[in-house]
Amino acid sequence: MITIIDYGLGNLGSVANMMKKVNVDAIITSNLAEIERAEKILLPGVGAFDAAMEKLTDTELREILDHKVLEERIPVLGICLGMQLLTKGSDEGTLPGLGWVPAYTHKFPDNLGIKIPHMGWNYVIHNRDNPLTGNFDKDFRFYFVHSYFVKVENEENSILKATHGITFDAAVQNSNVFGAQFHPEKSHRFGMQLFKNFSLL
């Protein structure tokens, strides 16, 4: 069972529908008791960094999530803004992030002659072997929508790389914590495979 955290920001229905397509049991909840029983957590997100962190920290959600992830060490997957929340902070705001991954979220530079936000399909490449993406074909792609990108402090935390003007970390891992900058729920068979892989961790 995957527990999809409802904190007011994210494509919750789309994520749950994709889980159903790959026969993975999932619930959408903001109920603290249900989150305390979670075996795996998915943290979605669409919107602004500070607004999302406020929603997590102004409730008991932050305390429970820290306990589940840092002490119980259950698998967690952050997607899109959810991945950026895993980092230490973001150029988009002033609040500290969850800090579960040694990384920082940066704004795409304005002087690269690229469209911002980065929107659409983009190929990714493996930075290292990982159970989240290890059984993908050599050439695979995902659907992105973002104006900010994650840069890890240590390459050992980078799973996938993508390029849009500059090369950035498209997926990251720190122990039981995983992040994907792209939208698996919009990435058809590639996203379905990633969700299936996460369910087996």
Side-chain angles (χ1 to χ4, degrees):
M1 172 74 75
I2 293 177
T3 300
I4 303 170
I5 304 299
D6 179 6
Y7 61 103
L9 297 170
N11 295 326
L12 304 178
S14 298
V15 172
N17 288 338
M18 186 65 92
M19 294 288 186
K20 188 179 297 184
K21 286 184 179 180
V22 294
N23 297 315
V24 171
D25 291 332
I27 60 168
I28 299 171
T29 187
S30 59
N31 183 277
L32 300 180
E34 287 183 324
I35 296 171
E36 285 178 340
R37 295 192 296 269
E39 299 171 344
K40 292 184 178 70
I41 285 174
L42 194 147
L43 186 66
V46 175
F49 187 92
D50 277 5
M53 283 306 306
E54 285 175 354
K55 287 180 178 293
L56 293 177
T57 56
D58 288 350
T59 66
E60 294 179 55
L61 265 178
R62 173 66 187 274
E63 184 178 353
I64 292 175
L65 289 174
D66 276 341
H67 175 78
K68 298 295 292 186
V69 174
L70 301 178
E71 296 184 36
E72 293 187 19
R73 304 190 71 78
I74 68 168
V76 59
L77 173 63
I79 58 176
C80 196
L81 175 62
M83 167 169 154
Q84 296 173 6
L85 298 177
L86 306 178
T87 69
K88 295 179 176 180
S90 173
D91 289 344
E92 187 179 17
T94 59
L95 296 178
L98 294 168
W100 298 342
V101 177
Y104 195 82
T105 302
H106 301 274
K107 189 179 188 301
F108 279 110
D110 295 325
N111 60 354
L112 296 178
I114 58 174
K115 290 185 177 180
I116 303 172
H118 171 213
M119 183 180 298
W121 289 90
N122 202 326
Y123 284 98
V124 298
I125 59 171
H126 274 112
N127 195 51
R128 65 179 177 87
D129 290 336
N130 188 273
L132 191 66
T133 59
N135 58 349
F136 280 91
D137 297 332
K138 183 178 180 181
D139 295 320
F140 58 104
R141 59 200 182 113
F142 291 99
Y143 190 84
F144 290 80
V145 181
H146 61 123
S147 299
Y148 295 80
F149 67 92
V150 168
K151 181 64 177 174
V152 296
E153 294 178 359
N154 305 300
E155 282 300 309
E156 65 185 23
N157 295 122
S158 177
I159 302 174
L160 300 175
K161 299 282 189 182
T163 300
H164 182 64
I166 58 174
T167 299
F168 60 90
D169 296 301
V172 297
Q173 179 196 6
N174 185 29
S175 186
N176 55 308
V177 179
F178 298 83
Q181 181 59 69
F182 44 82
H183 286 273
E185 76 278 11
K186 297 181 180 180
S187 299
H188 305 310
R189 65 184 179 92
F190 303 105
M192 293 169 69
Q193 186 63 59
L194 185 132
F195 279 148
K196 188 180 296 183
N197 290 348
F198 180 65
S199 74
L200 297 174
L201 293 176

